[in-house]
Amino acid sequence: MSTLEHTIASERKASLLKQPQAVWAVAFACIIAFMGLGLVDPILPAIAKKLDASASQVSLLFTSYNAVMAVMMLVTGVITSRLGMKRTLLLGIVVIAAFSALGGMSNNIWALIGLRGGWGLGNALFVATSLTAIVTLSTSSVGKAIILYEAAVGLGISVGPLLGGELGAISWRGPFFGVAALMVIAFVALSFMMANSSPQSSPTAAARKKTSIVDPFRALKHRSLLVLGIMACLYNFGFFTIMAYAPLVLGHMGMDEHGLGYVFLGWGLLLAVTSVFTAPLLQRKFGTIKSLAFMLVLFALTLLAMGIWTDTKWVVAAAVIFAGALLGNNNTLLTTAVMNAAPVERSTASAAYSFLRFIGGAIAPYFAGKLAEWFNPHVPFVVGAGFVIVGMLIVLINQKHVKHVDQVEAAH
């Protein structure tokens, strides 16, 4: 390698870590926020037992959460453009903390389902804004900024189940109070670490261009964004079958909170590692769309294996962990594609895509639980695999509308 090539390579490696203080503040808050998502996973069987709830009722904890997130994603851009990124992030953190604490005090499954919807409201404000903030404020390319975001998400998701398993072993209420405490830490950290951030992130600068609630719908007129959004909706059927239904299957086979915590710790660690290291390699070698299609096929086969060997605990547990690697790659590739898909504001593209994405996340958990009740425990995994394959086929059929995302990322 020549001296010039070595210098360029070194700069590329360093650019991901050389970020403004505001970016690191948001990334740190993302880790804590997504720890909250993973904290709840190991206690789903315990909630079902303690509150005398069925599998489909427990799955509504994810349905209400994702349904509110999907709708609120349409207005996060409107709120952010008026409050600014920092204030919107802090508002989201406060809402998450409040509803998670109230959830820990509830004694009824339906009350808990409603409170999870409030939690989804806070998460919508935080998640959509945090992605936009990192991409906007980062000094790296869009692709590298998204890798940083997905790394923060992966770290939070990986550590969350371990902590949730430990707290859940004491009481199913423990993880809810744990989330509230973590959100207080995130609020303090974000308040101080973003205090001296660049003028770009100030409320005044963010409000210069106010967005409308109809902007995400207008953005979906771009075929590329619509195709990726529909694919994400169908892909989330598989994703939340893993998140919401697999813990119930493993719990039914005797796995306790500690065991579930370790399984989803492995899942999250692989998700974090692959989102940072292997997704960029796949993108450079094969392109975003081809890599996405390949990951979706592998994910569908993994779900199918879980559907065939649903009664074998080690197979289900191993498949959950292995799925983390596929989801880590897919999340980074998909988010990069969305940010480069259409000539619209990134916050608007994120809102439109997230709306479609979380519709799938809202339907899938309840649907999986009902399929198990109507038929047998194998069916939800098989149906989830079918949805993932359909999502992959939609992207391939519309490949001419999305192939430009690789050219845009290369230009960046």
Side-chain angles (χ1 to χ4, degrees):
M1 182 183 289
S2 68
T3 304
L4 177 60
E5 288 174 330
H6 180 75
T7 301
I8 292 173
S10 299
E11 287 175 352
R12 282 177 177 170
K13 289 179 181 178
S15 62
L16 181 62
L17 300 178
K18 293 176 65 176
Q19 303 290 350
Q21 179 177 304
V23 172
W24 291 116
V26 177
F28 176 73
C30 279
I31 293 173
I32 297 180
F34 280 93
M35 282 178 68
L37 177 63
L39 273 170
V40 180
D41 232 25
I43 59 170
L44 291 179
I47 292 174
K49 183 178 179 181
K50 297 293 184 182
L51 297 184
D52 193 26
S54 66
S56 59
Q57 286 175 327
V58 172
S59 68
L60 285 172
L61 294 173
F62 283 93
T63 293
S64 63
Y65 175 85
N66 285 319
V68 173
M69 277 189 69
V71 175
M72 285 305 300
M73 285 295 179
L74 297 173
V75 299
T76 51
V78 177
I79 295 171
T80 304
S81 69
R82 286 157 175 79
L83 294 182
M85 286 188 286
K86 180 180 177 181
R87 289 179 181 173
T88 305
L89 288 169
L90 292 176
L91 176 61
I93 288 172
V94 169
V95 174
I96 293 171
F99 279 97
S100 59
L102 289 171
M105 293 184 281
S106 64
N107 295 304
N108 179 279
I109 185 62
W110 295 108
L112 190 57
I113 289 167
L115 291 168
R116 276 283 285 180
W119 190 338
L121 166 62
N123 229 50
L125 293 170
F126 182 86
V127 170
T129 310
S130 61
L131 173 58
T132 304
I134 288 179
V135 172
T136 302
L137 300 175
S138 174
T139 54
S140 305
S141 68
V142 173
K144 286 188 171 65
I146 289 170
I147 290 170
L148 183 62
Y149 171 80
E150 294 293 346
V153 171
L155 284 173
I157 288 177
S158 62
V159 176
L162 182 62
L163 185 57
E166 297 302 316
L167 294 174
I170 301 170
S171 168
W172 70 264
R173 302 177 190 275
F176 285 89
F177 292 125
V179 169
L182 289 170
M183 289 297 100
V184 172
I185 296 172
F187 183 91
V188 173
L190 201 60
S191 296
F192 284 100
M193 292 178 71
M194 286 193 76
N196 299 315
S197 59
S198 67
Q200 285 178 277
S201 62
S202 68
T204 304
R208 285 175 188 163
K209 185 175 181 180
K210 291 184 171 65
T211 60
S212 166
I213 194 171
V214 300
D215 285 349
F217 293 104
R218 290 175 181 152
L220 290 175
K221 292 180 180 179
H222 295 279
R223 184 71 171 268
S224 55
L225 192 58
L226 179 63
V227 167
L228 292 171
I230 293 173
M231 187 274 278
C233 176
L234 297 171
Y235 155 66
N236 258 17
F237 271 84
F239 186 101
F240 278 94
T241 297
I242 294 279
M243 287 289 290
Y245 180 66
L248 297 173
V249 171
L250 290 169
H252 183 71
M253 289 189 284
M255 187 172 287
D256 62 9
E257 290 86 354
H258 292 292
L260 285 168
Y262 287 122
V263 167
F264 279 91
L265 169 65
W267 176 81
L269 286 173
L270 282 181
L271 188 149
V273 170
T274 54
S275 65
V276 175
F277 296 106
T278 59
L281 293 176
L282 289 171
Q283 189 178 44
R284 286 196 295 271
K285 188 169 181 64
F286 303 108
T288 302
I289 302 305
K290 288 181 180 179
S291 299
L292 265 175
F294 183 60
M295 287 297 110
L296 289 172
V297 169
L298 289 181
F299 183 38
L301 291 174
T302 302
L303 285 167
L304 185 60
M306 295 173 75
I308 295 171
W309 292 286
T310 308
D311 297 325
T312 308
K313 183 163 66 174
W314 75 265
V315 172
V316 176
V320 169
I321 295 170
F322 176 68
L326 307 177
L327 300 177
N329 283 316
N330 207 58
N331 287 350
T332 297
L333 292 166
L334 184 54
T335 308
T336 303
V338 168
M339 290 292 102
N340 294 322
V344 297
E345 292 286 332
R346 285 167 183 157
S347 59
T348 302
S350 176
Y353 154 74
S354 297
F355 169 67
L356 293 175
R357 174 188 180 188
F358 286 108
I359 286 177
I363 298 171
Y366 182 71
F367 190 49
K370 294 306 288 185
L371 284 172
E373 292 173 12
W374 292 335
F375 301 103
N376 59 65
H378 302 260
V379 173
F381 293 118
V382 177
V383 172
F387 276 111
V388 172
I389 286 295
V390 172
M392 182 271 294
L393 292 175
I394 287 175
V395 171
L396 292 183
I397 291 169
N398 292 275
Q399 190 168 0
K400 65 179 181 181
H401 298 289
V402 294
K403 63 181 181 180
H404 66 280
V405 298
D406 289 310
Q407 299 168 346
V408 174
E409 177 58 22
H412 287 316

